[in-house]
Amino acid sequence: MYLDPTDANVRHLLERQITGPIAMLNLLRLRDVADYSGHPDLAPSEAISGRAAYQRYIDHTEPFLTASGGSVLLLGTGGHNFIGPLDERWDIVMVVQQASLDDFFAFAGNEGYLAGLGHRVAAVEDSRLLPLVLNGATSGQT
C-alpha cells in the first residue's frame, strides 16, 4: 500500500530538475468503506464509501489547487487493467497540473489544504503518483 511519498521519492523527483509545467498522474484504489479512524475530527456522523470520502477530499482541495495556479486536467473512472496484472484495479484516474514543481510543493504544504487531507487518507486503499514533464518543460534527467 502506498499513500505518501518517502524521502527517497522526494529526492528522486528533485534530482530530475524539472523546470516549467508539471502534471501528476494519480492512480487511486478506494476503500469500500472510508476509514476515518486516523482523522475522527473529519469523520461524518455515519459511515460513507471511499468514493464519497474522496469526493469530500476533492471538494476541500479544489480551492487550494486553483489558488496555487493548479488545475485538474483529467478526472475519470478507472477499472481493471487492459494491459497489466488482471487483479489490479484503479478506481479513479486523475491528472493534476501545476505551473512548476515549486508551485506543486507550495500547494502540497499549504496548511489549509493539509487540514482536509484526512478525507484522502480515509478514502484511499492504495495509490500511485507519477510526475509527468509536460511539453515545454525540461528535465535534467529522463
Side-chain angles (χ1 to χ4, degrees):
M1 175 165 73
Y2 297 90
L3 297 178
D4 296 306
T6 64
D7 290 343
N9 294 126
V10 173
R11 195 169 38 258
H12 283 289
L13 176 56
L14 293 173
E15 287 170 356
R16 291 180 66 185
Q17 300 175 4
I18 298 169
T19 61
I22 186 169
M24 296 291 189
L25 170 64
N26 293 261
L27 302 175
L28 303 151
R29 183 174 311 121
L30 302 176
R31 300 175 193 276
D32 290 332
V33 177
D35 178 5
Y36 279 96
S37 61
H39 299 274
D41 54 313
L42 296 176
S45 58
E46 295 185 20
I48 61 172
S49 68
R51 187 167 298 278
Y54 200 77
Q55 186 60 54
R56 287 176 181 222
Y57 168 73
I58 289 172
D59 294 343
H60 172 82
T61 299
E62 192 170 20
F64 299 102
L65 180 63
T66 302
S68 72
S71 62
V72 175
L73 298 180
L74 173 97
L75 178 61
T77 301
H80 290 275
N81 291 316
F82 184 60
I83 297 175
L86 290 175
D87 61 343
E88 187 177 81
R89 77 170 205 285
W90 300 107
D91 300 311
I92 294 177
V93 177
M94 182 169 49
V95 178
V96 177
Q97 180 177 344
Q98 285 283 352
S100 70
L101 196 53
D102 287 342
D103 289 333
F104 167 74
F105 282 119
F107 157 74
N110 179 293
E111 288 185 29
Y113 160 71
L114 292 172
L117 195 59
H119 292 299
R120 182 183 188 280
V121 173
V124 176
E125 179 180 300
D126 198 5
S127 67
R128 303 293 184 271
L129 184 62
L130 176 64
L132 305 172
V133 176
L134 298 177
N135 291 339
T138 60
S139 176
Q141 297 186 359
T142 55

